[in-house]
Amino acid sequence: MDKGISHTGSAIGMEHAINRADAMAWVLSVCAPCLRLSQAKTLSELVEAAMRCPRISLPNIGRASGGGVASQIKRCWRFITNPRIEPSVVMSGVIRRWLKRRAKPLWISFDWTDIRGFQTLAAAVCVRGRAVPLCWATCDKGLWTGYRSRNAFEESLLLVLRNMIPSHVPVVILADRGFGRTEL
């Protein structure tokens, strides 16, 4: 078997194939403190199914989950639209695990992305040349519902990010000149 190719034939872009049982156990161990056990189990099963998808989408994750396709797609949808599951809370568990033995500053890129009629502001940690999203917020293009301005929207996401990262960890924010305000 080639390195970087899982036994299902999909490229996973890593030097070694990932053991799915280990990935599920890792997700459970990281998310169990911040989610109900049933929610952590569901998330670990969805992550495991996503690892088998050549292209990530709700229908593909549902198909890869096994069982009845329609019910698995509905299960994925119910999980991601559950208002009791806050992604920033779950990701703070991932960040704590990541930063357990880190002494170097954490480099985080912060930028807007246009996706069809929406704009997404994302904060992503830079790891080995890749950007791993930590938190994000999406709004209709040009409409920052619930916020006075685009600046207030950006500052609120920075506050969420600050609350996710332990205070002893030094952080470097990488942003373009559009964020060059004295308030930031």
Side-chain angles (χ1 to χ4, degrees):
M1 175 177 10
D2 289 337
K3 288 185 178 181
I5 305 294
S6 69
H7 68 276
T8 60
S10 63
I12 57 175
M14 300 183 127
E15 194 170 73
H16 302 287
I18 296 173
N19 181 334
R20 289 183 176 85
D22 289 345
M24 287 179 71
W26 187 85
V27 170
L28 275 172
S29 70
V30 169
C31 298
C34 52
L35 293 175
R36 291 179 173 171
L37 183 57
S38 61
Q39 292 169 336
K41 284 181 181 178
T42 299
L43 179 59
S44 71
E45 291 169 8
L46 294 176
V47 167
E48 188 271 335
M51 290 173 60
R52 290 187 272 141
C53 292
R55 186 173 181 158
I56 301 296
S57 68
L58 281 179
N60 286 343
I61 293 172
R63 287 181 193 102
S65 295
V69 174
S71 64
Q72 292 300 331
I73 293 171
K74 192 183 293 186
R75 179 182 186 211
C76 292
W77 178 252
R78 280 194 311 263
F79 183 81
I80 67 164
T81 59
N82 187 341
R84 294 176 299 201
I85 298 173
E86 183 60 43
S88 63
V89 174
V90 176
M91 287 304 293
S92 64
V94 173
I95 291 170
R96 277 193 303 276
R97 179 66 61 92
W98 229 344
L99 300 177
K100 211 173 221 180
R101 289 174 249 135
R102 186 179 179 91
K104 296 179 187 178
L106 190 64
W107 288 73
I108 298 175
S109 64
F110 194 69
D111 205 2
W112 286 95
T113 302
D114 289 343
I115 304 169
R116 296 188 182 132
F118 301 99
Q119 288 183 305
T120 299
L121 178 61
V125 67
C126 303
V127 180
R128 296 183 187 134
R130 300 286 183 205
V132 179
L134 299 177
C135 64
W136 53 91
T138 301
C139 62
D140 289 328
K141 208 172 232 180
L143 299 174
W144 303 283
T145 306
Y147 296 92
R148 296 183 316 272
S149 65
R150 179 178 172 136
N151 291 353
F153 191 86
E154 293 167 353
E155 290 169 15
S156 70
L157 190 67
L158 282 172
L159 287 173
V160 169
L161 180 65
R162 181 68 256 172
N163 289 332
M164 291 171 65
I165 301 170
S167 59
H168 70 277
V169 176
V171 174
V172 176
I173 302 286
L174 303 171
D176 60 18
R177 63 182 177 193
F179 296 96
R181 306 188 298 276
T182 56
E183 299 87 31
L184 295 179

